[in-house]
Structure formats: structure tokens, C-alpha cells
Amino acid sequence: MIEKEPSEVPVGRADFVHQWPASRVVFGPGKISVAASEAARFGTRFAVIHDPTAQSAADRVASDARGGVCARIGEVAQHVPVQAVTEAVAIVREARAEVLICIGGGSATGLAKGVARELALPLVAVPTTYAGSEMTSIWGHTEGGKKTTGRAETVRPRTVVYDPELTLDLPPAISVTSGVNAIAHCVEAMYAPESSPMTRVAAAEGIRSMSRALPGILDEPRDVAVRGFALRGAWLSGWSLEVSTTGLHHKLCHILGGLLDLPHSPLHTVLLPYAVAHIAPAAEAETRIVLESLGLTGPVTDAGGLIWERHRLLGAPASLAEIGMREADVERTIAEASAALADRPLPPCPIGASGLRDVILTAFKGDRPAA
């Protein structure tokens, strides 16, 4: 009989279904130079959607496209308002575009996905942050204070061009919250009932890549090699998110983001330790891998607190109040979250109304999660 060491205890279900995502990935410094030619694989008339900070990259693509850009949209909004999608669809349709190119962070990708969903156009993504959404078939939009998400094969980019040089000017503080947002994708992939052995391997490596890169970014923001390692983590985080499902953390972020219009990646950063603190007792083996991948040592029962401490070392925001939530918002947020999530099936464990109240109140104050 073979005795198993604790670290060799199998993680996850023995039965699973794994479907390989179909996106093509082109990765490396200077690869912005191939974005136009990658788009040309799908058509000759390009609509470029980019956020304002990606202006120069969009100019480069337009130049390389040699007159192939028939429309440009250079304004995006977080959480993808429905009205913004409607206006963008009208512009792209009128221009008779055949291919969409999005350049920027998650908001640019999200807007482009909204257009792709409506017009069934192929999409080429050039991310400039660590959102990870460029690797998924997940779309989302907000209307009337509610965020709606879903999956559609038409919104998954056909090609993703990762160029770490495009992230050199991403401010360190934003890099940290964007990176933690990517780590959150990997953490939830560990717990998801659909996760396969391949998913968990990719998620753990995504956490390791990003967690090792973030301190380097704070020290040397313009180090291309460090930025490349972070972008590698973002790629793996998006891949992990695509082949799994979201749980308490992401669902709570969607509720607060839609209701209060809080900034996306700081919101994920603040809530992650509190979600992990709730989940850890029900998923000890998976949580141990998360801690090891982050380079943290300590009891699984204190995982939320250990992650909270690490965020403090990175200078990340500590509380919902710090990122714009008002005390007057607390009770209606608790009510909204309880109506949507309390006692619903939410692997690896449900959360009741009192648990949601504790999570939201503690996160609002920014207190260290209790062990």
C-alpha cells in the first residue's frame, strides 16, 4: 500500500469534462506589429475599439492596416453600459466593418465583445492590462444598476496579441489591482466544480507568475521581462476563467460593481481575501495550493488573512470605503447581495444572509479577515 504525503492528496473531482479554448495567442515584446496582419486573416475592413491610454498602439495598428481601418472608437466605460454597446454597434455597422480589433483593458475588451455579440464579427484582442477577459467567451454589461453576464462563442477573440511593451506605462498601483484581479480568476478556477487537472495546473502557474511579477513591477515598472511575466500570468488567468465557472468572489463583485459603479480591479482586490476566508474551510486542499502558489506560509484557516496581509505589502486598497463605497450604500448592498446569493448553490459552499453581511461589513471597513 502506498502512503500519501499530505501534499499528494488529490485535488478536485475524479470525473470531469475539459473543452480546450480555441483562441490563437501571439506573445512577445513588439508583437503589436502583427496585430493588423492577424486581423487580416478574417477580413479587410477593421473597426478599432481602444481606451484613451491605448491611443498610440491604436495609431500603430491603423498605420499597419494601410487604410483598412474604417471606424475607430476611443472612449470606453467600466462595466460596459448597454447604451455604449448600442452606440458602438451603430458605428461599426454603418462602417461595414468585417473585423473588430480591441486594444486596452477589460473595458475596451468588454465593449468590443458587446459589439461582436450583436454583429457576429470576429475579434482580435490586444490587452494592455492584466484583466484576462481577452481569453474568455464571457460577456457582460450594466443597465439600471445591474450587471448581467453570459457566455457566447461569438465574443471570444479569435486571436490575442500579448505585447508586454504595451504595459510599461501602466501605473504600478493599477498594475497591482489589475494583477490581483487576474489572481482572483485563478483562485476561483481552483474551486470550480468544472475544473479539470489541466485547469488547476494552469491556475496555479498563473498565480505563481503574477505573484512573483507584482513586486518586481513596483521596483522596476518599465522592466519588460517582469512585465512579460505578469502578462503571462494574465493569459493563464483568462484561460483558467474560460474553462471554469465563477463563484462567490466574482458574483459579489458583479453585484457591487453594477449597483455602485465601483472600479473593477480595485473591487476584486478588496473582496478577494474575504471571499477566500469564507471558502477556505470547505476547500482545504485547493486553498493550500493557492497559498503555496502565492508563496505564503500559514494555516489554511487563516488564508484570507494571509492574502490580506500580502495586499498591504503591495500597497493595494484595503477597504470598500477606500474605493468609493459610502456608508449609506452598505445596507442596500447587503440586501441586494442576500437576495441574489444567500443560501443558493455556490460551490464549494453556500453562504447565508448573515455570512454575506459579515463579508460586506468587514470588507467595507477593511479589517483583517478572521482566522
Side-chain angles (χ1 to χ4, degrees), residues 3-16:
E3 295 293 331
K4 296 187 184 72
E5 294 296 325
S7 62
E8 296 178 316
V9 174
V11 176
R13 295 165 55 96
D15 55 325
F16 61 88

Side-chain angles (χ1 to χ4, degrees), residues 65-119:
R66 300 180 182 277
V69 174
C70 59
R72 261 178 89 157
I73 298 170
E75 293 293 333
V76 300
Q78 68 174 3
H79 305 304
V80 194
V82 167
Q83 183 60 33
V85 175
T86 301
E87 292 171 0
V89 165
I91 292 169
V92 173
R93 180 184 281 126
E94 184 177 358
R96 295 180 292 110
E98 299 170 351
V99 187
L100 298 170
I101 304 173
C102 63
I103 309 171
S107 297
T109 305
L111 179 58
K113 284 183 171 184
V115 176
R117 179 168 171 256
E118 291 295 322
L119 300 180

Side-chain angles (χ1 to χ4, degrees), residues 240-298:
S240 301
L241 180 63
E242 172 62 1
V243 296
S244 58
T245 52
T246 59
L248 172 64
H249 172 77
H250 278 73
K251 293 184 186 304
L252 198 53
C253 286
H254 288 167
I255 291 169
L256 270 69
L259 185 66
L260 305 176
D261 196 33
L262 297 175
H264 182 81
S265 65
L267 175 59
H268 277 263
T269 299
V270 169
L271 285 179
L272 182 61
Y274 303 99
V276 170
H278 171 76
I279 289 165
E284 292 187 12
E286 293 87 348
T287 303
R288 170 58 61 197
I289 294 174
V290 168
L291 290 178
E292 290 173 352
S293 300
L294 287 168
L296 299 176
T297 57

Side-chain angles (χ1 to χ4, degrees), residues 112-189:
K113 284 183 171 184
V115 176
R117 179 168 171 256
E118 291 295 322
L119 300 180
L121 294 178
L123 173 59
V124 172
V126 185
T128 62
T129 69
Y130 308 128
S133 58
E134 67 280 351
M135 285 301 298
T136 78
S137 59
I138 301 170
W139 57 268
H141 60 234
T142 54
E143 186 174 32
K146 291 187 180 296
K147 187 165 187 174
T148 302
T149 62
R151 289 182 183 254
E153 285 299 310
T154 53
V155 311
R156 180 169 46 213
R158 305 287 185 88
T159 300
V160 182
V161 178
Y162 286 103
D163 184 343
E165 291 181 353
L166 300 182
T167 68
L168 294 179
D169 292 323
L170 190 65
I174 297 176
S175 298
V176 166
T177 58
S178 184
V180 174
N181 181 26
I183 288 172
H185 299 333
C186 297
V187 170
E188 287 215 319

Side-chain angles (χ1 to χ4, degrees), residues 35-37 39-40 42-49 58-72 92 95-101 121:
S37 61
F42 308 106
T44 59
R45 296 176 63 82
F46 313 137
V48 177
I49 297 174
D59 290 343
R60 169 65 189 271
V61 170
S63 175
D64 291 342
R66 300 180 182 277
V69 174
C70 59
R72 261 178 89 157
V92 173
R96 295 180 292 110
E98 299 170 351
V99 187
L100 298 170
I101 304 173
L121 294 178

